Amino acid sequence: HSRWFSFKVSELRDLLERSPSIVNVAFTEGRTALYWAVCNGREDAIRLLLKHQARGVAPCSYHPLLT
């Protein structure tokens, strides 16, 4: 899985504040950080990524925060 989830949310927040354009970068197999957050049930990361206009969740797209 993506390196995004070895981060604490505070570290992810700092990274996004320093480099906001990376929010929608596709990593492993073309999957974004939001994809990995949803698939790993990381509501804290999902909220943060959505706050930074993250997009691109499929096929693992069901999560109550996204409905």
Side-chain angles (χ1 to χ4, degrees):
H1 77 301
S2 174
R3 70 183 189 97
W4 283 92
F5 294 98
S6 62
F7 283 98
K8 294 177 184 175
V9 171
S10 61
E11 293 170 329
L12 177 59
R13 182 180 302 111
D14 291 345
L15 179 63
L16 289 169
E17 286 174 4
R18 285 192 313 268
S19 303
S21 63
I22 67 166
V23 72
N24 291 307
V25 170
F27 294 97
T28 308
E29 299 175 12
R31 295 174 177 146
T32 65
L34 185 57
Y35 170 91
W36 288 111
V38 170
C39 289
N40 288 285
R42 294 289 308 267
E43 288 190 29
D44 51 352
I46 294 168
R47 290 179 191 279
L48 178 61
L49 291 162
L50 290 175
K51 181 179 175 184
H52 286 268
Q53 285 75 47
R55 61 185 190 283
V57 181
C60 184
S61 61
Y62 174 75
H63 193 281
L65 291 175
L66 300 175
T67 57

